[in-house]
Amino acid sequence: MTMDARLQRLLGGETLAALRKRLRQRYERGAPADALRLGSLSEAEHAALAALSGRPARHVRSMQIDVTEIDAALARAGLASSLRDALEQLDGPIVDTTAQRLQVRAQWQQVVEVCAHPGLRSVLQTSVGLGLLKRLCASRPEAGARLVLDADQVLRRLPAAGIPRAQLAVATLGDAHALDSGSPVATLVLSALRHGAAPDEDADRVRDLWAAAGVLVNELARPALTLNLPAPTGTEPGEPTYFSLRSLLRSPPAWSVMGRPVFVCENPNLLAIAADQLGPRCAPLVCTDGMPAAAQRVLLTQLRAAGAALHYHGDFDWPGLRIGNQMIREHDARPWRFSTADYRAAVIGAPRPGRPLDDAAVGALWDDALAGAMLAERLAIDEEGLADVLLDDLRHR
């Protein structure tokens, strides 16, 4: 339908574009009121509104208009069925943004409600979780629904029994790379496994989450180094032995450690010294090799479940205390010669100048005074420097 030229003269043109925009906004926000007051009007804007309302065109800065009367006047003149119709003829369709927002909100609510996995649904019911989903699918509800369905498919297969991540991806989604690090489905699945915790892109932490669900990621990377752990056949007493994440998850050993102490050290060098000097006479020993990765965490979890009492020692530095805190929180470990008194005794015989400590102190969960003592001395004590004392504890009596 061709627009009447009279309507263009009455309300069209660039001069009245700002006025039309203001009028359109009231329709975009929902159903308009019968009366509307407009302020800060230019002379041209006032004249146009006066003509629409049948009033004298005397310039004032504000004006109240009766929308119902304008609708009727436009219809009588054959220009438009209503003010809204006139605005749409001049500048295109008006979208009710309030109704649109409500519709989109309902669509997202539907996405959450159809989610089958309880852990994932709990995540999506939080603002953080739903915001993550929207970012992953570019705020498109239909894409979000597809993504949630894919994540559901994966989560229904968990926990697994030592299946590689790529194999899980093929079995559930038909794409070996669908669960690669950073993929939308993997990100959503990991959020469900974390139960709403903040995302963590650290590769070892991500591998731990998959491992806890029985999924192998780089299963041969950073195997757990041990000495004299009782149970598995094929291990030679007194010789260091590695256990890969793959072997620990696929064929979990029957650890014979109920009620027995298992010592845990931070550095591979200490375990090598123990193997050299004590051999088969060394107590069971596990090395975290720095911050425990997936294989070390799985092994320590298995040992705790089998009834072992874990005893941890690390470097007297801030990373060592950080590892100690994790050992206590996650594996209920006890400190092994890792107290304030042990540190002060070590400092007395330590060679100088030694390795200095910076100010980035970390409190020790097991000893409130340890960090303060280390800050006062400003000296790190490496675990290998205490080998004689530690090996005396490890020697079978």
Side-chain angles (χ1 to χ4, degrees), residues 23 33 43 52 63 82 89 92 100 108 121 124 134-135 137 151 158 177 218 252 307 330 334 339 382 385 395:
L23 293 171
E43 187 173 352
L52 286 171
M63 181 178 183
S82 64
Q89 288 187 50
Q100 189 178 57
W108 284 114
R121 191 185 311 114
L124 297 179
K134 290 179 179 180
R135 289 194 298 275
C137 64
L158 302 179
H177 297 287
N218 295 333
E330 295 191 12
R334 306 168 191 175
S339 68
D382 293 317
R395 184 177 289 107

Side-chain angles (χ1 to χ4, degrees), residues 107-148:
Q107 289 176 319
W108 284 114
Q109 185 61 38
Q110 180 67 14
V111 169
V112 174
E113 288 175 357
V114 300
C115 177
H117 188 270
L120 180 57
R121 191 185 311 114
S122 295
V123 170
L124 297 179
Q125 285 172 340
T126 68
S127 59
V128 172
L130 187 57
L132 174 64
L133 176 61
K134 290 179 179 180
R135 289 194 298 275
L136 292 172
C137 64
S139 295
R140 293 180 291 119
E142 65 282 1
R146 177 72 253 179
L147 183 55
V148 168

Side-chain angles (χ1 to χ4, degrees), residues 51 65 76 79 159 280 304:
I65 60 174
R76 283 195 304 270
L79 298 177
R304 269 308 277 138

